[in-house]
Amino acid sequence: MKPNSREPLVHVFGALALCVGVVASGIFDDVHVDIGYEHYAEPTMPGFPAALAMPANCLVNLAYALLGWYWLPSGGKKGQACYFQEVFALMALGYGPVQWGRLWTQHRWAAVLDQWVTLPIFAWAAVWCHFLECGWLPGTFLAMEAMSLASYLLAMFHPQGFELALAGHILIVFWKAVQIQRRLGNATSAWIMAMGMVSCLGFVCLKLWDQELAQCMLFRRLTGHFWSKICDVLQFHCAFLFFARLDRRQLKSH
């Protein structure tokens, strides 16, 4: 069965609403999350509203909206490949407000939601690879996303459970991307994949070293957290470029 035009919107924001409801139920209230401005290297701005207390870290989330809007399929395009692209674009559009909400409220639930929704976004890249490799298998795609969401349960049993789940997601995406690159890729897609991996490394390391990097003058105002988000947007963009190129090569081979 082929997806219809409204399914991506329903699937992405329906799943997000479900996650919000589960988080609000309090089931993850014992999960370790960092709450408070002291966990960020960017200094707060006195007199600014809470939504802009850390201007750079907050405003960088607009980049997710711009990215998602840019990659939304246009011109009434339909089909399975467009479904994957639209879901990924809507994920980018939705993630910006989630991250901004965490920075704005410094609330436990917002922090948990920010962590949790990161996992199915990474998982979608693996799902897209699986689609290119094996074809349209909606039951398998749903199972992969469900397993991704369930992996956040690790955070209930270990202080670094989220980090372990995220590392697992990154490794799986890397493995799936290499597989599909070997099957459908060329030198250009290999270069895009490499840039995506470098961006992913920056996303992880710059966030982890946020406080340490702030000792350097270059990272006093635009901190490691800010540049981590820039790298995150870049890896999103590289993923779109990678899959768009492989989609075209797959069509030509049929």
Side-chain angles (χ1 to χ4, degrees), residues 28-197:
F28 292 126
D29 280 358
D30 292 330
V31 167
H32 173 74
V33 288
D34 294 331
I35 305 170
Y37 294 124
E38 67 272 12
H39 295 288
Y40 299 88
E42 182 181 3
T44 56
M45 298 294 288
F48 275 44
L52 293 172
M54 295 181 289
N57 283 349
C58 291
L59 291 174
V60 73
N61 291 290
L62 293 173
Y64 291 97
L66 294 173
L67 176 83
W69 186 262
Y70 176 81
W71 279 104
L72 276 174
S74 59
K77 293 180 180 178
K78 296 180 181 179
Q80 295 166 352
C82 284
Y83 170 81
F84 279 88
Q85 181 177 331
E86 187 169 351
V87 166
F88 211 35
L90 290 170
M91 284 178 166
L93 279 168
Y95 182 70
V98 169
Q99 170 70 199
W100 201 334
R102 177 180 185 174
L103 298 173
W104 181 350
T105 65
Q106 293 298 317
H107 193 283
R108 167 172 291 278
W109 288 355
V112 169
L113 184 65
D114 174 38
Q115 285 190 344
W116 196 13
V117 300
T118 301
L119 300 177
I121 293 174
F122 269 94
W124 194 249
V127 172
W128 203 339
C129 287
H130 196 73
F131 162 68
L132 291 172
E133 187 176 12
C134 302
W136 182 253
L137 300 169
T140 302
F141 306 152
L142 178 61
M144 292 171 73
E145 285 293 306
M147 290 175 62
S148 171
L149 287 168
S151 70
Y152 191 65
L153 292 172
L154 286 171
M156 298 179 67
F157 302 106
H158 194 280
Q160 277 73 52
F162 165 69
E163 288 78 6
L164 292 170
L166 181 59
H169 279 67
I170 292 172
L171 289 174
I172 290 170
V173 171
F174 172 76
W175 172 60
K176 296 289 286 184
V178 169
Q179 280 189 320
I180 201 65
Q181 164 63 26
R182 287 175 175 171
R183 179 175 174 179
L184 295 173
N186 59 11
T188 302
S189 61
W191 176 252
I192 294 170
M193 185 177 70
M195 291 299 97
M197 290 174 181

Side-chain angles (χ1 to χ4, degrees), residues 185-207:
N186 59 11
T188 302
S189 61
W191 176 252
I192 294 170
M193 185 177 70
M195 291 299 97
M197 290 174 181
V198 170
S199 298
C200 183
L201 186 64
F203 162 67
V204 173
C205 295
L206 289 167
K207 177 68 180 295

Side-chain angles (χ1 to χ4, degrees), residues 1-4 7 80 136 138:
M1 184 176 65
K2 294 183 178 181
N4 63 52
E7 281 187 357
Q80 295 166 352
W136 182 253

